[in-house]
């Protein structure tokens, strides 16, 4: 019996010792370094997080890195970075990216449009998600004079900078690396916080610090306007985030960089723009912003397409159609939602839809195909009208007094009519959604 007790006591001591050592190893204060987020972690960017690095791919989609995870675009769940960039793990097993950017350099055509990732003292070069030959390399080999263990990096092409340049951040030290001369110019950006991530988007430069960001001048470092701002308001779709005033909600929706899901103009000329869980309405010079759920509770959030017809908003989500009578408040029609196939004769999902004034035809866009649906017909059946050749995919579209507005990402294009939209061979002038449609002044 005594021997059994001794054996049990020894096993218990070993178990407690192992647990204690595990606690010590997992304690960042004890370990002496910042813990990495590993693949078991459930990451929620709407909970607020400090990104490790940010870079835009060749298609203009921003990649947000955190630990060994990656968020693609402005919404969606995290995925393991090594699913897209497996060599990052193969070479280092570090579980994180220190800094990243997409190269823009006419003086270095071999590097142009490549994504560069920095891990400790190494740099990786990817083109279309494939690691280039002879990489990774030492940072000092490719960017002499630039230190290891960077915090952030961002490209600065001409004419934003005098020559094609890469800006590197480490603590409060700023380095401008001239791609033409290979010279380094150390800068002092007094009005900027220390950047943990940086990227260039829509020809603007953003410094991320914590879960806030500031827009800055890449040459002087000057921060102009009301900054810092909350990242979750402008670069992510986060439902019910923050307690904000009406003015702050309106400004967020006016100036958000997240692409629109749908847009429409009703019979009175009011515009409704939908983005994730929120919408913005414009009547004359008056703006209103709220959650989709507050005004269209049956819909809850995220709509694929919206069009206005005879005082009603037809809101398409997946394979269903919700119909609301325009008013204060908007009234959901009894019997809806109904299947999209039943209402318009089309299988979902769709990308955009619009109706022009004094017409009874809904133009429904799926990919590059435009279908015409005669709304007075019974039953309604789609007729293929044509193909859009200038764009592979449209985010949203509406018809108004100026013609057809086509929205793609953060830009929109104007066409005189649906027919011209499909027949046009010359690309129309590009406008910014936030400024041209919503009057954002920054």
């Amino acid at each position: 019996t005594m021997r059994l007790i001794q054996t049990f006591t020894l096993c218990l001591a070993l178990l407690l010792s192992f647990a204690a050592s595990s606690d010590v190893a997992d304690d960042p204060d004890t370990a002496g370094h910042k813990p990495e987020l590993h693949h078991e972690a459930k990451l929620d960017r709407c909970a607020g997080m400090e990104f490790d690095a940010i870079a835009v791919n060749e298609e203009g989609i921003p990649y947000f890195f955190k630990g060994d995870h990656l968020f693609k675009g402005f919404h969606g769940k995290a995925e393991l970075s090594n699913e897209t960039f497996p060599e990052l793990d193969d070479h280092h097993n570090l579980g994180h990216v220190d800094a990243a950017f997409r190269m823009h350099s006419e003086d270095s055509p071999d590097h142009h449009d490549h994504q560069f990732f920095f891990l400790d003292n190494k740099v990786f070069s990817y083109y279309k998600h494939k690691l280039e030959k002879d990489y990774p390399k030492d940072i000092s080999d490719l960017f002499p004079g630039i230190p290891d263990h960077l915090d952030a990096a961002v490209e600065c092409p001409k004419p934003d900078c005098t020559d094609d340049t890469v800006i590197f951040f480490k603590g409060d030290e700023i380095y401008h690396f001239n791609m033409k001369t290979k010279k380094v110019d150390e800068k002092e950006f007094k009005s900027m916080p220390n950047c943990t991530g940086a990227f260039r988007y829509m020809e603007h430069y953003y410094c991320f610090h914590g879960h806030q960001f500031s827009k800055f001048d890449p040459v002087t470092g000057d921060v102009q306007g009301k900054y810092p701002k909350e990242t979750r308001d402008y670069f992510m779709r986060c439902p019910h985030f923050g307690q904000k005033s009406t003015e702050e909600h309106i400004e967020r929706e006016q100036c958000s960089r997240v692409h629109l899901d749908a847009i429409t103009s009703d019979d009175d000329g009011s515009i409704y723009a939908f983005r994730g869980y929120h919408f913005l309405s414009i009547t004359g010079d008056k703006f209103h912003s709220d959650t989709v759920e507050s005004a269209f509770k049956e819909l809850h959030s995220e709509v694929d397409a919206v069009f206005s017809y005879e005082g009603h908003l037809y809101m398409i989500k997946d394979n269903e159609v919700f119909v609301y009578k325009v008013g204060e408040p908007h009234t959901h029609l009894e019997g809806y939602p109904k299947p999209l196939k039943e209402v318009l004769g089309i299988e979902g999902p769709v990308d955009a839809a619009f109706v022009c004034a004094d017409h009874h035809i809904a133009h429904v866009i799926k990919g590059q195909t435009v279908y015409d649906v005669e709304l007075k017909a019974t039953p309604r059946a789609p007729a293929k009208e044509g193909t859009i050749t200038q764009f592979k995919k449209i985010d949203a579209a509406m018809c108004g007094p100026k013609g057809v507005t086509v929205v793609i990402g953060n830009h929109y294009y104007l066409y005189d009519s649906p027919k011209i939209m499909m027949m046009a061979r010359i690309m129309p002038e590009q406008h910014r959604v936030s400024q041209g449609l919503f009057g954002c002044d920054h």
Side-chain angles (χ1 to χ4, degrees):
T1 304
M2 181 61 68
R3 181 172 295 177
L4 180 63
I5 293 173
Q6 289 174 338
T7 302
F8 175 78
T9 304
L10 178 60
C11 291
L12 181 61
L14 288 170
L15 181 64
L16 291 173
S17 175
F18 175 78
S21 64
S22 297
D23 289 341
V24 170
D26 290 338
D27 185 348
D29 294 326
T30 306
H33 62 82
K34 182 180 176 181
E36 298 294 347
L37 289 168
H38 295 295
H39 63 273
E40 296 88 356
K42 302 294 184 183
L43 298 186
D44 178 9
R45 54 176 146 188
C46 289
M49 65 173 57
E50 180 179 281
F51 293 110
D52 296 328
I54 307 162
V56 178
N57 73 0
E58 59 272 7
E59 296 175 347
I61 299 172
Y63 286 0
F64 299 87
F65 292 86
K66 180 64 178 178
D68 56 5
H69 282 72
L70 165 65
F71 295 92
K72 293 180 178 179
F74 298 111
H75 63 99
K77 295 181 180 179
E79 60 184 64
L80 287 170
S81 304
N82 61 14
E83 291 178 4
T84 303
F85 306 103
E87 297 84 1
L88 298 183
D89 260 5
D90 292 345
H91 286 276
H92 264 233
N93 294 305
L94 291 178
H96 73 276
V97 174
D98 293 329
F101 73 92
R102 187 184 75 177
M103 178 71 79
H104 186 106
S105 178
E106 297 174 359
D107 298 313
S108 301
D110 291 343
H111 297 145
H112 181 68
D113 248 0
H114 290 212
Q115 283 182 296
F116 285 83
F117 302 113
F118 298 83
L119 287 77
D120 284 357
N121 65 334
K122 297 294 184 182
V123 57
F124 294 72
S125 175
Y126 282 86
Y127 184 64
K128 295 184 177 180
H129 295 168
K130 292 184 178 179
L131 184 68
E132 291 292 285
K133 185 181 178 182
D134 298 328
Y135 282 88
K137 297 180 179 181
D138 288 344
I139 294 174
S140 57
D141 289 343
L142 197 61
F143 301 98
I146 299 302
D148 300 334
H149 304 284
L150 294 162
D151 291 327
V154 64
E155 73 280 9
C156 182
K158 296 183 294 187
D160 296 354
C161 287
T162 306
D163 291 316
D164 291 332
T165 299
V166 181
I167 307 172
F168 294 96
F169 302 81
K170 183 172 182 177
D172 57 3
E173 298 174 339
I174 316 294
Y175 304 86
H176 278 215
F177 185 89
N178 188 309
M179 289 302 299
K180 185 177 182 179
T181 65
K182 309 301 180 187
K183 292 183 178 179
V184 178
D185 185 13
E186 293 192 36
K187 299 276 189 176
E188 187 176 4
F189 287 177
K190 293 183 178 180
S191 62
M192 265 179 61
N194 292 351
C195 303
T196 56
F199 83 134
R200 178 178 179 265
Y201 192 67
M202 288 184 63
E203 299 166 16
H204 292 295
Y205 294 81
Y206 299 96
C207 163
F208 286 71
H209 39 95
H211 48 80
Q212 294 183 312
F213 72 95
S214 298
K215 188 172 73 173
F216 68 96
D217 184 300
V219 177
T220 65
D222 290 343
V223 176
Q224 297 177 348
K226 299 176 181 178
Y227 289 96
K229 295 183 187 293
E230 171 58 59
T231 305
R232 288 168 285 184
D233 276 338
Y234 292 85
F235 290 98
M236 310 175 193
R237 291 179 180 173
C238 296
H240 315 302
F241 170 69
Q243 300 297 317
K244 300 184 181 303
S245 67
T246 301
E247 291 77 13
E248 288 175 316
H249 274 297
I250 290 172
E251 184 198 10
R252 177 190 62 198
E253 292 306 309
Q254 281 181 284
C255 301
S256 175
R257 274 64 177 176
V258 179
H259 72 78
L260 294 177
D261 294 325
I263 190 169
T264 191
S265 177
D266 69 16
D267 298 340
D268 296 326
S270 296
I271 292 175
Y272 298 83
F274 298 84
R275 180 188 283 116
Y277 296 87
H278 297 84
F279 77 97
L280 178 72
S281 64
I282 309 168
T283 304
D285 59 354
K286 294 183 178 179
F287 290 78
H288 173 72
S289 177
D290 213 330
T291 62
V292 172
E293 189 171 16
S294 67
F296 309 96
K297 66 179 182 179
E298 294 81 5
L299 188 65
H300 299 300
S301 67
E302 293 184 302
V303 61
D304 295 329
V306 178
F307 66 87
S308 175
Y309 178 63
E310 294 187 338
H312 293 79
L313 295 177
Y314 286 69
M315 311 180 78
I316 304 170
K317 181 173 183 176
D318 298 325
N319 281 295
E320 292 186 312
V321 179
F322 298 74
V323 180
Y324 290 84
K325 183 178 180 181
V326 176
E328 293 293 340
H330 303 300
T331 307
H332 186 244
L333 293 196
E334 189 175 345
Y336 286 88
K338 292 182 179 180
L340 177 59
K341 181 73 173 177
E342 178 184 332
V343 178
L344 296 178
I346 294 177
E347 297 283 356
V350 302
D351 297 319
F354 61 91
V355 174
C356 294
D358 301 325
H359 289 75
H360 304 286
I361 297 175
H363 304 276
V364 183
I365 302 172
K366 289 183 65 172
Q368 292 181 294
T369 304
V370 181
Y371 297 92
D372 278 2
V373 180
E374 173 57 64
L375 297 176
K376 290 292 186 182
T378 304
R380 294 168 178 164
K384 182 180 175 183
E385 181 180 281
T387 303
I388 300 171
T389 58
Q390 293 185 327
F391 309 108
K392 290 183 178 179
K393 188 178 184 301
I394 287 174
D395 290 325
M398 69 174 177
C399 193
K402 295 182 179 180
V404 179
T405 299
V406 172
V407 180
I408 300 173
N410 295 283
H411 296 92
Y412 70 95
Y413 308 82
L414 281 172
Y415 296 89
D416 290 337
S417 69
K419 194 169 290 275
I420 292 177
M421 175 186 71
M422 288 177 285
M423 295 176 61
R425 296 184 180 278
I426 300 175
M427 186 72 73
E429 185 179 354
Q430 186 182 77
H431 308 271
R432 285 187 183 170
V433 171
S434 57
Q435 295 174 345
L437 293 180
F438 304 148
C440 177
D441 58 3
H442 63 271

